Amino acid sequence: MPDRILLTGGTGFFGRRIADSLRGQGHTVVTPGRPDFNLMDPDSTRRTLEQVKPDTVVHSAAHYGGLGICVAEPIEIFQRNVIMGVNLLDAASKVGVKKFMTIGSACSYAGAVNGDMKESDAWSGPLHPSVEAYGFTKKVMEVGMRAYQRGCGMIAQMPIVTNLYGEHDVFGEYRSHVAAALIKKFADAVIEKKKQVVCWGTGAPVREFIYVGDAAEGVARLLASGHNEPLNLGTGIGTTIKELSEIVARLTRFEGEIVWDTSKPDGVMRKVLDVSKMAEVLDWRPPTSLEAGLAKTVKWYMENKAEADARA
């Protein structure tokens, strides 16, 4: 049965695609924003939920970014994300919301997990220092949702999402994730006729990437499933940063040299999700290959480069 859904961050990179997928399932999706809806203000948060009267809340809004912002702004990342999440959880419980979903992150996994990360690894050790502040806010929300589920019966759901990429991403180096940062770096090098592109770290870390449209489809499927434990949402396919860089170089038609600045951090050496439970619960796997998704992203970026760079 279609729900009335309040979606936070509904005009952002991931949120806009979640909104499309949920509307495709027949739901009514409301995406309020600032200044009227300020998640840092508990009164504003509750007032908006009282006006919207949602059956379900999907919390996609976040203060986030790639490795650069995680290292530079740990206080802001921790404070803003915890306050927003707690305000929203509390307001949802007070207005009778039946279901609450928070978008989780693979950053919440322990930094020293051996092999692909299973849901059962979630509390197996400390987070990697480079993403601890952001990753731990997702753990706060996991515990908070369980508390409200026990205390007032509000059903809790949490997709643990791997690295996203796609159209409408943030492409500036400071806030961008690795795929978007590389696309901008190589595209700029082609335009400026540079013979060399310098990339962070060694290129050896292994990461997993999911096209944003596929991830949004996974979120919508999880919402419909009723599964109320954290669930990995990814491809289960690992790619080194070096391999990713070479694909992006080819798609942007960069023909120069790629140089690795080993004075910059690599972060966690391997971060790939075990998606066997996802395939079982959702009866689904993401259909878009990395090369196909990156080709779509590069095309969009080149066609909208001035606007995308201005947002960075």
Side-chain angles (χ1 to χ4, degrees):
M1 182 175 178
D3 280 356
R4 182 170 178 81
I5 298 173
L6 184 145
L7 171 65
T8 70
T11 60
F13 163 53
F14 193 20
R16 68 176 66 207
R17 300 300 291 266
I18 294 173
D20 290 343
S21 292
L22 292 174
R23 288 178 179 130
Q25 287 190 342
H27 300 296
T28 298
V29 181
V30 183
T31 58
R34 289 179 293 183
D36 298 327
F37 182 38
N38 180 5
L39 284 167
M40 295 295 290
D41 179 349
D43 294 332
S44 171
T45 303
R46 181 169 179 177
R47 185 167 57 248
T48 301
L49 265 68
E50 287 173 341
Q51 293 169 352
V52 174
K53 297 180 173 61
D55 304 299
T56 297
V57 168
V58 177
H59 183 33
S60 175
H63 184 63
Y64 75 101
L67 191 57
I69 194 172
C70 285
V71 171
E73 297 186 23
I75 293 173
E76 293 83 352
I77 285 172
F78 181 78
Q79 181 193 51
R80 291 184 64 83
N81 286 309
V82 169
I83 290 173
M84 288 193 295
V86 170
N87 284 344
L88 190 60
L89 261 176
D90 197 54
S93 72
K94 286 181 167 64
V95 303
V97 168
K98 298 172 185 174
K99 186 184 291 185
F100 191 107
M101 175 187 281
T102 286
I103 305 301
S105 168
C107 291
S108 64
Y109 274 110
V113 172
N114 291 317
D116 292 355
M117 296 179 287
K118 298 181 179 180
E119 290 85 352
S120 57
D121 293 321
W123 296 88
S124 62
L127 281 63
H128 193 276
S130 63
V131 294
E132 180 183 47
Y134 181 65
F136 197 77
T137 66
K138 300 302 183 180
K139 289 188 174 297
V140 169
M141 288 304 293
E142 181 184 343
V143 173
M145 288 193 300
R146 276 205 297 268
Y148 280 89
Q149 184 166 279
R150 292 180 187 129
C152 65
M154 188 165 59
I155 296 170
Q157 294 184 300
M158 187 179 219
I160 304 173
V161 184
T162 194
N163 293 293
L164 294 166
Y165 69 94
E167 303 92 336
H168 299 281
D169 203 347
V170 176
F171 287 85
E173 184 173 332
Y174 181 62
R175 283 200 62 221
S176 63
H177 290 112
V178 61
L182 288 173
I183 288 170
K184 174 173 172 53
K185 189 182 289 280
F186 281 101
D188 285 351
V190 171
I191 291 168
E192 296 164 14
K193 295 183 170 54
K194 291 183 177 178
K195 296 180 180 180
Q196 193 178 84
V197 163
V198 179
C199 297
W200 273 32
T202 65
V206 176
R207 295 290 182 269
E208 172 188 14
F209 301 94
I210 185 170
Y211 176 61
V212 66
D214 289 352
E217 174 66 16
V219 166
R221 286 173 178 264
L222 176 57
L223 194 74
S225 76
H227 181 80
N228 66 348
E229 295 290 337
L231 186 72
N232 285 344
L233 183 56
T235 63
I237 300 169
T239 302
T240 67
I241 300 302
K242 181 176 184 292
E243 290 168 338
L244 176 68
S245 300
E246 289 167 350
I247 295 171
V248 172
R250 184 169 66 254
L251 292 172
T252 54
R253 299 183 180 178
F254 174 75
E255 297 178 351
E257 180 187 13
I258 303 174
V259 176
W260 296 94
D261 180 358
T262 56
S263 70
K264 295 294 194 294
D266 274 331
V268 180
M269 288 309 295
R270 180 177 175 84
K271 190 186 291 184
V272 178
L273 300 180
D274 181 319
V275 295
S276 55
K277 186 177 286 188
M278 178 198 77
E280 178 186 340
V281 170
L282 305 184
D283 190 25
W284 173 83
R285 284 187 178 273
T288 308
S289 71
L290 179 59
E291 181 128 5
L294 286 172
K296 290 182 184 181
T297 309
V298 168
K299 182 176 185 295
W300 181 88
Y301 177 66
M302 297 308 295
E303 291 173 352
N304 298 273
K305 192 173 190 309
E307 177 188 348
D309 287 351
R311 287 176 52 238

